[in-house]
């Protein structure tokens, strides 16, 4: 069984230790993870702003933004799924006399 000296061997408990742990949590690792997520959230915010600008550009060029969004959503789907949805949509329209 390890005594106190063996358990603490190689551990630096000073506040400015790069491997400091508080309550069993590696504080530097936690800080790094949080900062990385924060940076990515900022990038996502910037990308969302860029996308909004592109849709504004499309609208000012006379394109229907709602239809563009629909096309983007369709392009993300598998072709077989798109075909099935279009077939069902056609069947439902005919059933309703549209």
């Amino acid at each position: 069984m390890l005594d106190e000296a063996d358990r603490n061997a190689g551990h630096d408990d000073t506040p400015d230790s790069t491997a400091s742990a508080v309550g069993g949590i590696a504080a530097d690792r936690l800080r790094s993870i949080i900062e990385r997520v924060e940076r990515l959230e900022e990038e996502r915010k910037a990308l969302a702003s860029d996308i909004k600008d592109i849709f504004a550009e499309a609208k000012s060029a006379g394109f229907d933004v709602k239809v563009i969004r629909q096309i983007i959503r369709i392009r993300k789907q598998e072709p077989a799924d798109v075909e099935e949805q279009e077939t069902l949509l056609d069947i439902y329209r005919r059933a309703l006399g549209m």
Side-chain angles (χ1 to χ4, degrees), residues 16-75:
D16 41 70
S17 169
T18 58
S20 62
V22 178
I25 298 173
D28 291 337
R29 179 73 191 271
L30 178 59
R31 183 177 299 107
S32 171
I33 289 169
I34 291 170
E35 289 172 352
R36 286 169 40 210
V37 169
E38 289 172 339
R39 278 194 303 274
L40 289 172
E41 286 177 344
E42 284 299 315
E43 288 178 30
R44 179 171 49 189
K45 185 177 174 182
L47 288 172
S49 177
D50 291 346
I51 291 169
K52 182 179 175 183
D53 292 344
I54 293 169
F55 281 122
E57 177 185 337
K59 185 175 181 177
S60 70
F63 294 107
D64 187 322
V65 172
K66 186 176 178 180
V67 174
I68 291 173
R69 288 183 188 275
Q70 187 174 4
I71 289 171
I72 292 169
R73 189 172 51 252
I74 290 169
R75 288 171 53 114

